[in-house]
Amino acid sequence: MIIYEPDEESEVNEFPWVVTFEPSGGEEWDSFVCGPYERDHAIALAEAVALDEGGVLAVVVPMLPAFSAVDVVATIEELRQAVEEEEEDDQVNGTPVDFDDDDEFEEQEVEFELPSPEEIKAGMERTYRRLIGSAD
């Protein structure tokens, strides 16, 4: 499972979130996207499916508002710049350093409670109201 983790105070947390379900472990099927959800609901759904079903990768990300191609290109440039800065941080005296965390990764047992369909629907309604500019 892959979850985008923004800073706690980031406005991204208020955006609608989606979950992309993809094949993993050698299976072949078409990936699909579910949402929009509130962040906690997206994570709970992703956890429920990814932990219960073998061969499924769940990717949880926010839906970024883009109203034009210029907005999309600007976001791509910001992300490219962030990667370049991260790569520069991963160098010592101009030499790349490999920070391979795979050896330190431990799978943790996660207990969670999947929101009810009614809670998810209410969260979707709040999300759609925010998308169209209505206040609660």
Side-chain angles (χ1 to χ4, degrees), residues 74-89:
T75 300
I76 291 169
E77 287 304 316
E78 287 175 19
L79 295 171
R80 284 179 176 155
Q81 183 65 34
V83 169
E84 288 175 14
E85 289 171 5
E86 186 176 303
E87 287 172 354
E88 288 172 6
D89 290 344

Side-chain angles (χ1 to χ4, degrees), residues 11-87:
E11 66 182 25
V12 171
N13 289 308
E14 297 303 315
F15 290 173
W17 289 69
V18 296
V19 182
T20 302
F21 293 101
E22 303 175 355
S24 171
E27 288 189 334
E28 293 283 332
W29 44 273
D30 290 337
S31 63
F32 60 96
V33 179
C34 296
Y37 302 105
E38 292 178 330
R39 184 175 187 274
D40 292 342
H41 292 170
I43 292 171
L45 178 63
E47 287 176 340
V49 173
L51 295 176
D52 191 46
E53 282 290 317
V56 175
L57 174 65
V59 181
V60 180
V61 294
M63 291 176 56
L64 302 176
F67 300 105
S68 71
V70 172
D71 291 343
V72 173
V73 171
T75 300
I76 291 169
E77 287 304 316
E78 287 175 19
L79 295 171
R80 284 179 176 155
Q81 183 65 34
V83 169
E84 288 175 14
E85 289 171 5
E86 186 176 303
E87 287 172 354

